[in-house]
Amino acid sequence: MSIEQHSVPEALHGARLDQAAVVIFPDYSRSRLSAWIKSGRLTVNGETGRPKDKVAVGDQLALRPEAEPAVSWSAQAMPLAIVYEDDDVIVVNKPAGLVVHPAAGHADGTLVNALLAHEPYLDKLPRAGIVHRLDKDTSGIMFVARSERAHKSLVSQLSKRTVSRHYLAVCQGALTAGGMIDAPMSRHPTQRTKMAVVRDGKPAVTHYRIRQRFAHFTALDVQLETGRTHQIRVHMAYRKMPLLGDPLYGGRLRMPPGASTELATALQGWKRQALHAYHLMFQHPATLQTVDFTVPIPDDLAQLLAVLSAHDILEDA
């Protein structure tokens, strides 16, 4: 795997090497990073260090990550909405509320458990073929590698930013135009469960255009150029237009003044980030042909849009 290099930002000056590494390389766990520090895969200014060593602003951290080995998770017979499958890839439509892979607090009942029941061979692949993911409460389309060549190809395509991903999002605020957000991201320096826009973070680019305007909310078509953890949610909150219902980045619900009973009920009852991955396009690992898939808007989000259309009407509409 390629070497990842980043300099230590001012905010992490004086931090332990392992603590700084978690912020700078958020795609990996602290335990793995600590192991890589000890083995020399993660160096400081070209030198091997210890997890407890202190870092200084401007220090150059270089990480040569080790390919993640396959893990053993149990298969569980669960409903699985398969959009497409062949010998190399499985494309699924993940419902909101379903965790992608087992983790602390979610030992089973995940998408991975369902996939292993459908295709036991996935147990032989890193992370059971999962090469990208959606948050628990984000619905929509995902691809899964079903073979070694597919895993290598899909990881490479994601790294090269050649995978096209479109999302439907509903944000708070009445936008008048689309745009682009180019703001680097990394782990939040103090709140470990959150990501944040950080000056010295990894590049993160989000494109968005207006899909439907309402008086106090806007439905957006969002396209990811990069795929950082929580990227759309963080970028929209950074621009002061957080996703409706986002429990981590959305802040307090802005109830429109004079909202009808129907609108107030719909908004107060909406308990997940209004985000749905509806379109995915990539190069098939075997045929090398471009393939694309689209899934419908889930019922809960369609109902929310219907209520906004009927009860949050623009005055000039």
Side-chain angles (χ1 to χ4, degrees):
M1 299 179 72
S2 60
I3 295 177
E4 301 180 31
Q5 299 187 66
H6 293 279
S7 60
V8 174
E10 185 176 350
L12 294 175
H13 179 76
R16 284 174 54 115
L17 174 55
D18 56 353
Q19 294 173 337
V22 172
V23 177
I24 294 171
F25 302 105
D27 292 339
Y28 310 104
S29 68
R30 181 171 177 175
S31 61
R32 298 197 77 202
L33 290 166
S34 293
W36 287 338
I37 292 170
K38 296 173 184 176
S39 68
R41 283 185 169 273
L42 199 168
T43 60
V44 182
N45 300 324
E47 301 291 334
T48 300
R50 299 170 299 174
K52 66 179 182 180
D53 289 346
K54 304 296 185 181
V55 297
V57 60
D59 279 348
Q60 297 297 309
L61 270 58
L63 173 64
R64 183 165 49 90
E66 188 176 21
E68 190 169 4
V71 294
S72 179
W73 287 316
S74 62
Q76 285 181 284
M78 296 168 52
L80 193 59
I82 296 177
V83 178
Y84 171 84
E85 65 177 326
D86 59 26
D87 291 340
D88 290 281
V89 296
I90 303 174
V91 179
V92 299
N93 185 10
K94 187 190 84 68
L98 180 64
V99 175
V100 169
H101 56 74
H106 298 282
D108 54 20
T110 71
L111 176 62
V112 163
N113 298 116
L115 285 166
L116 287 171
H118 178 74
E119 174 50 89
Y121 180 77
L122 293 177
D123 192 52
K124 307 297 183 183
L125 298 176
R127 303 190 72 78
I130 300 291
V131 293
H132 74 129
R133 67 173 188 169
L134 296 175
D135 297 332
K136 173 187 174 183
D137 290 323
T138 298
S139 57
I141 195 166
M142 291 178 56
F143 56 31
V144 179
R146 198 175 191 172
S147 65
E148 286 86 352
R149 69 176 174 184
H151 189 273
K152 181 179 180 180
S153 172
L154 296 178
V155 168
S156 175
Q157 290 181 56
L158 287 166
S159 176
K160 294 176 180 177
R161 305 183 188 179
T162 57
V163 176
S164 178
R165 290 167 287 178
H166 284 264
Y167 295 73
L168 166 61
V170 180
C171 70
Q172 300 192 57
L175 278 66
T176 57
M180 178 186 75
I181 304 172
D182 186 352
M185 288 177 52
S186 186
R187 185 74 60 181
H188 194 287
T190 59
Q191 297 175 270
R192 304 301 306 145
T193 60
K194 299 177 68 173
M195 302 296 288
V197 170
V198 178
R199 184 180 59 185
D200 297 313
K202 292 185 177 182
V205 180
T206 303
H207 303 267
Y208 63 94
R209 62 180 178 84
I210 293 177
R211 181 169 178 149
Q212 188 174 0
R213 294 176 62 206
F214 307 105
H216 302 91
F217 303 91
T218 308
L220 301 173
D221 186 291
V222 183
Q223 183 175 15
L224 288 180
E225 185 172 320
T226 56
R228 306 304 173 199
T229 301
H230 298 174
Q231 180 174 317
I232 294 174
R233 300 165 64 187
V234 170
H235 271 178
M236 292 302 163
Y238 173 69
R239 282 289 182 87
K240 309 301 182 185
M241 47 187 186
L243 298 189
L244 177 62
D246 192 330
L248 199 57
Y249 305 100
R252 182 177 299 179
L253 171 65
R254 307 169 193 168
M255 184 64 69
S260 66
T261 300
E262 292 84 356
L263 179 58
T265 298
L267 294 176
Q268 291 168 347
W270 186 260
K271 301 300 183 182
R272 72 174 180 98
Q273 61 265 11
L275 186 62
H276 173 66
Y278 74 88
H279 182 258
L280 181 64
M281 183 169 66
F282 57 98
Q283 184 186 64
H284 192 280
T287 68
L288 303 184
Q289 297 297 310
T290 298
V291 292
D292 67 275
F293 303 94
T294 301
V295 294
I297 299 172
D299 291 343
D300 64 342
L301 188 51
Q303 179 59 32
L304 174 66
L305 292 171
V307 173
L308 291 174
S309 296
H311 297 278
D312 194 40
I313 305 170
L314 284 168
E315 292 184 2
D316 58 355

